[in-house]
Amino acid sequence: MTLQRQVLIVEDEPDIAQFISAALENNGYVSRIVGTGVDCLRICSGKLPDIVILDLGLPDMDGQEIIRAIRAWSKVPIIVLSARDQEEQKVLALERGADDYLTKPFGMKEFLARVRVVLRHVNRRETLQEAAYCSRDLIVDLARRKVSVGGNETRLTPTEYNLLAVLVAKAGQIVTHAELLREVWGRGSEEHSHYLRIYIQRLRQKLGDDPLYPRHIFTEPGIGYRISAEDET
Ligand code: CA
């Protein structure tokens, strides 16, 4: 038996939401519709769906902010729905970590094809990373936003946690100074590299990491930082 994929549809236009939902249900997916960003984040902070279909124009929140919020702690695939004249919005959504976009109006076949492709791309990486990051004695529980070192919980401030979460989301890869500043402090913060130095130092202290002999957070001089890749299981 194959597990049915859970799809969260975030769309305030009932006709489009119903159209997508029907297409998905007819093809073996389980879908759930919400009409606001607040409901989307509430659901995603509990049990994550397998994929999020996100309309950028919601009544209560900017879709771009929703992508940013989700990407601070999850790699759940996101397909963005946008209007035809929103080229800049599409680019921004992809920069923020959306996996793909569809321009309204779109056909059912095209929609299902995009969903399949995105799910196939993430198949490999979805094994452990949704729930927790584990490397040596460091465990980051992404669902509960809890961090432990050697079995002892480490209390982080929200900013320290967000910084760690951005590094963990790209474990094993370099994350640039600009990207870290942008993800944690918001757009326009790219010049404030002193924030980053201070917070990386604090994070290292709390994780018991020695910058001269790092085990967790590695400095890539002039480029950024990298957190060690996850343990192979
Ligand atoms: Ca809308």
Side-chain angles (χ1 to χ4, degrees):
M1 199 184 93
T2 53
L3 209 62
Q4 283 186 303
R5 299 287 200 159
Q6 312 276 332
V7 184
L8 179 64
I9 301 165
V10 191
E11 169 63 82
D12 61 314
E13 289 162 71
D15 289 352
I16 297 175
Q18 287 302 331
F19 166 77
I20 295 170
S21 174
L24 289 166
E25 301 270 340
N26 286 336
N27 284 273
Y29 299 89
V30 175
S31 69
R32 178 168 181 183
I33 300 169
V34 295
T36 63
V38 168
D39 282 339
C40 169
L41 292 180
R42 183 176 52 77
I43 289 170
C44 287
S45 67
K47 188 183 179 299
L48 277 169
D50 293 301
I51 184 166
V52 177
I53 310 298
L54 176 67
D55 175 34
L56 286 181
L58 294 168
D60 63 331
M61 279 180 81
D62 182 348
Q64 305 288 357
E65 292 305 315
I66 298 172
I67 298 170
R68 192 220 295 267
I70 292 176
R71 279 290 173 267
W73 48 274
S74 168
K75 291 179 176 178
V76 63
I78 300 171
I79 296 180
V80 159
L81 307 179
S82 70
R84 190 159 291 283
D85 56 350
Q86 292 182 318
E87 296 304 325
E88 279 177 21
Q89 290 287 312
K90 289 174 201 165
V91 172
L92 184 57
L94 292 175
E95 277 180 4
R96 291 208 166 165
D99 296 89
D100 204 350
Y101 63 82
L102 276 161
T103 303
K104 295 177 187 178
F106 48 83
M108 192 181 290
K109 263 190 172 173
E110 186 189 6
F111 170 73
L112 290 168
R114 296 292 181 88
V115 169
R116 274 195 299 273
V117 166
V118 167
L119 284 173
R120 200 160 52 224
H121 281 165
V122 298
N123 248 347
R124 205 173 54 83
R125 73 181 195 208
E126 77 178 356
T127 42
L128 260 185
Q129 300 183 358
E130 299 291 295
Y133 162 89
C134 307
S135 178
R136 300 179 181 179
D137 59 348
L138 172 63
I139 297 174
V140 183
D141 182 335
L142 297 162
R144 293 183 190 78
R145 294 176 68 96
K146 286 192 173 175
V147 178
S148 67
V149 180
N152 299 313
E153 189 176 334
T154 304
R155 295 211 167 273
L156 300 182
T157 65
T159 303
E160 290 163 356
Y161 179 83
N162 290 341
L163 181 56
L164 180 62
V166 175
L167 289 168
V168 161
K170 289 196 167 175
Q173 294 173 250
I174 297 171
V175 188
T176 64
H177 296 140
E179 186 174 357
L180 285 164
L181 286 161
R182 197 165 56 231
E183 292 296 324
V184 178
W185 285 275
R187 225 153 243 276
S189 306
E190 289 89 338
E191 303 303 315
H192 302 294
S193 55
H194 58 285
Y195 292 174
L196 203 49
R197 277 198 302 276
I198 292 165
Y199 275 87
I200 287 282
Q201 193 186 347
R202 287 186 193 169
L203 201 50
R204 278 175 163 156
Q205 271 170 9
K206 290 195 178 180
L207 301 181
D209 209 11
D210 181 344
L212 291 178
Y213 302 98
R215 302 165 64 243
H216 301 300
I217 298 173
F218 298 83
T219 303
E220 303 286 345
I223 302 174
Y225 297 93
R226 174 172 56 87
I227 200 161
S228 51
E230 285 200 84
D231 294 332
E232 298 289 332
T233 51

